[in-house]
Amino acid sequence: MASQKPLERPVLAVDVAVLRVEDGRLWVLLHRRREEPFPNALALPGVAVQVEETLREAAARALTDKASLARELLRDLHLEQLATFDALFRDPRGRTISVAYLGLVRSALGLDVSWHQVQDLLDGSLPFDHQQILETAVDRLRGKLRYTNIAAQILPPTFRIEQLQGVYEAVLGRSLNRANFRSKLLKLGLIEQTGILSEAVGQQGGRPPYLYRFVTMEVEAQDRDFL
Amino acid sequence: MASQKPLERPVLAVDVAVLRVEDGRLWVLLHRRREEPFPNALALPGVAVQVEETLREAAARALTDKASLARELLRDLHLEQLATFDALFRDPRGRTISVAYLGLVRSALGLDVSWHQVQDLLDGSLPFDHQQILETAVDRLRGKLRYTNIAAQILPPTFRIEQLQGVYEAVLGRSLNRANFRSKLLKLGLIEQTGILSEAVGQQGGRPPYLYRFVTMEVEAQDRDFL
DNA sequence: GCAAAAGTGTTGTGACTACACCCATGG
DNA sequence: CCATGGGTGTAGTCACAACACTTTTGC
């Protein structure tokens, strides 16, 4: 039968690292594999790309099919291409080249899926080259925080500056100066005050903070000059 | 026969944009197509990826097979992955997804191949989505000039600072301040003086310049802090 | 009033821009 | 000695880090 013959071309797949910030930590969406290879292992959702779909559509399909992500939640999902991984033996089933995607979701989403701390996964426990993909995803997010408004894809439409700083600190992995963080992001024109005071939810005394919003919601780079 | 049956998976290809700086302009390596589609058109070299090769090897093969680049010159070639292009109808022959690569060669190489000014190609004359790939390549090079020593892949091992500034100006597309360019690159620790005076080749009088070299030859990012 | 958290102001340091000036060589 | 191009110094401006201070709330 034709299906038994070895393929002459590599198989093309997508793997998605969906990241989320909560409780000052960075989390990634994993699913538990059911088939060979690596049955029962936690892995990034991924599928083989079909002829009639784009890579982005394949990435979305990986999330709904493999990670049981509800289709409605895809609208709130930021997806961007990371890189293409092509090590010869990255998949024991045969030559598979995978386009990795970075996904971002807002903390407000109550996804009924399996989240895991990124920090705990950098010890070689992930199958395939998924640790490398995850590291690439975190690096990309870290880099884009510095010169774009990509944090808008992580936070709700309005937020407290402390929340925003928490996202930066969780992703960059270090603490930032409160006063300077505020003035820098405001002076860059990245965020603006809404004039609305935040409902002090778990607040134990203290002045209630204003809510802020990103000036633009599309991810945009800030220009930097070289001389 | 099996070969007549429509494939159920996309074909994976690589396309390479090899850039070069000379005479203050940016040039790209193209080859003239012989087959359908777009026969006789100038296009970026590209091939379908084979099962037993990496993407990088496929990119190198595209340059030797399609653009007649001598194998020996591959050692001096910087190749880095750009992005993967997946528009549904980017190739009229059928679903083809292409991993684009950026190549850089030193001006000193006397390649017997077909170079074309990048500036003249941004008018929709390239076939497929090759203009988009070319623009991505130039953007990547432009960006990396600002925070890495990638210019080391374009220049010979030692060079005059004016040469280096010429590379920056050609790629960035604007003129830079001579004094500040010098002091910035030196203070960054990117380049250092060799102590050797340049042979004043086409010089019409004037103090002979020192030769400089990059401190490290591997492409390395300069760290930037965010607060 | 006091603690807690938000928000503002200040000051020293270092980087960047623009520009003027000095140096060394060929003709 | 002068034109030409390489190389150096400086002053104003701006961004940034560190830190102190003020404001507004709950208790």
Side-chain angles (χ1 to χ4, degrees):
Chain A
M1 310 292 283
S3 62
Q4 309 261 2
K5 288 176 58 178
L7 287 170
E8 300 202 305
R9 300 294 183 195
V11 172
L12 185 61
V14 294
D15 287 303
V16 192
V18 179
L19 300 181
R20 178 192 189 192
V21 174
E22 186 135 335
D23 300 327
R25 294 173 193 281
L26 197 55
W27 304 78
V28 61
L29 175 63
L30 299 179
H31 85 290
R32 194 165 293 280
R33 293 181 57 81
R34 297 183 180 175
E35 305 153 18
E36 289 289 344
F38 308 114
N40 255 352
L42 287 166
L44 297 177
V47 292
V49 180
Q50 296 174 353
V51 198
E52 75 285 353
E53 68 184 352
T54 63
L55 292 171
R56 186 192 185 77
E57 287 161 357
R61 189 164 58 82
L63 295 178
T64 52
D65 289 9
K66 294 291 179 71
S68 314
L69 197 62
R71 278 201 180 280
E72 300 82 59
L73 297 181
L74 292 182
R75 276 178 319 200
D76 256 327
L77 176 73
H78 171 81
L79 267 182
E80 74 176 57
Q81 196 188 102
L82 281 174
T84 300
F85 291 81
D86 68 329
L88 286 177
F89 303 106
R90 56 179 297 281
D91 189 325
R93 283 168 294 189
R95 183 85 173 111
T96 306
I97 289 172
S98 176
V99 185
Y101 271 76
L102 163 66
L104 295 175
V105 290
R106 298 172 211 289
S107 300
L109 291 180
L111 305 175
D112 184 26
V113 286
S114 168
W115 294 97
H116 301 263
Q117 282 202 35
V118 169
Q119 211 180 348
D120 300 341
L121 297 166
L122 304 180
D123 58 354
S125 61
L126 287 177
F128 305 102
D129 51 3
H130 285 187
Q131 179 175 335
Q132 198 187 343
I133 294 177
L134 178 58
E135 286 168 357
T136 305
V138 174
D139 281 350
R140 170 72 64 90
L141 178 56
R142 212 168 262 168
K144 279 203 150 183
L145 269 192
R146 293 166 194 256
Y147 66 97
T148 73
N149 58 345
I150 198 170
Q153 309 300 320
I154 299 180
L155 289 167
T158 64
F159 48 85
R160 290 171 285 123
I161 284 200
E162 194 209 8
Q163 272 182 284
L164 178 60
Q165 183 172 342
V167 168
Y168 273 76
E169 290 180 338
V171 175
L172 297 180
R174 62 196 177 88
S175 60
L176 303 172
N177 181 289
R178 192 172 50 89
N180 296 334
F181 181 82
R182 158 188 301 279
S183 65
K184 172 157 186 180
L185 290 196
L186 284 170
K187 195 172 41 187
L188 278 176
L190 222 60
I191 59 174
E192 63 188 4
Q193 222 187 51
T194 61
I196 304 168
L197 287 170
S198 165
E199 306 280 322
V201 251
Q203 197 145 343
Q204 16 182 333
R207 173 177 176 177
Y210 284 102
L211 290 177
Y212 293 78
R213 65 169 156 252
F214 278 93
V215 174
T216 55
M217 286 302 290
E218 308 79 47
V219 177
E220 287 181 357
Q222 313 299 312
D223 271 337
R224 297 208 186 196
D225 269 344
F226 187 90
L227 299 186
Chain B
M1 308 295 282
S3 62
Q4 310 261 1
K5 288 176 58 178
L7 288 171
E8 301 202 305
R9 300 293 182 195
V11 172
L12 186 61
V14 294
D15 288 302
V16 192
V18 179
L19 299 181
R20 179 192 188 192
V21 175
E22 186 134 336
D23 299 327
R25 294 172 193 281
L26 197 55
W27 305 77
V28 62
L29 176 62
L30 299 180
H31 84 290
R32 195 166 291 281
R33 293 181 58 81
R34 299 184 177 173
E35 305 154 17
E36 290 287 345
F38 308 113
N40 256 351
L42 287 166
L44 297 177
V47 291
V49 179
Q50 297 174 353
V51 198
E52 74 285 354
E53 69 185 349
T54 63
L55 292 172
R56 187 192 184 77
E57 287 161 358
R61 189 164 58 81
L63 295 178
T64 52
D65 289 8
K66 293 292 180 71
S68 313
L69 197 62
R71 278 200 180 280
E72 299 82 58
L73 299 181
L74 291 182
R75 275 178 319 201
D76 256 327
L77 176 74
H78 172 80
L79 267 183
E80 73 178 57
Q81 196 189 101
L82 281 174
T84 300
F85 291 80
D86 69 329
L88 286 177
F89 302 106
R90 56 178 297 281
D91 189 324
R93 283 168 294 189
R95 184 87 173 110
T96 307
I97 289 172
S98 174
V99 184
Y101 271 74
L102 163 66
L104 295 175
V105 291
R106 298 172 211 287
S107 299
L109 291 180
L111 305 176
D112 184 24
V113 286
S114 168
W115 293 96
H116 300 264
Q117 281 201 35
V118 169
Q119 212 179 349
D120 301 341
L121 296 166
L122 305 180
D123 57 354
S125 61
L126 288 178
F128 305 103
D129 51 2
H130 285 187
Q131 180 176 334
Q132 198 188 343
I133 293 177
L134 177 58
E135 286 168 357
T136 306
V138 175
D139 281 351
R140 170 73 64 90
L141 177 56
R142 210 167 265 168
K144 279 204 151 181
L145 270 192
R146 294 166 192 257
Y147 66 95
T148 73
N149 58 345
I150 197 170
Q153 309 300 321
I154 299 181
L155 289 168
T158 65
F159 48 86
R160 290 170 285 123
I161 284 199
E162 193 210 7
Q163 274 181 284
L164 178 60
Q165 183 171 343
V167 168
Y168 273 75
E169 290 181 336
V171 176
L172 297 180
R174 61 195 177 89
S175 61
L176 303 172
N177 180 291
R178 190 171 53 88
N180 296 335
F181 181 81
R182 157 188 303 278
S183 65
K184 173 157 185 179
L185 290 197
L186 283 170
K187 195 171 43 188
L188 277 177
L190 221 61
I191 59 173
E192 62 188 5
Q193 220 187 51
T194 61
I196 303 166
L197 287 170
S198 164
E199 307 279 323
V201 251
Q203 198 145 342
Q204 16 183 333
R207 174 178 176 177
Y210 284 102
L211 290 178
Y212 292 78
R213 64 171 157 249
F214 278 91
V215 174
T216 55
M217 286 301 290
E218 308 81 46
V219 178
E220 287 183 356
Q222 313 299 312
D223 271 338
R224 297 208 187 196
D225 268 345
F226 186 90
L227 297 186

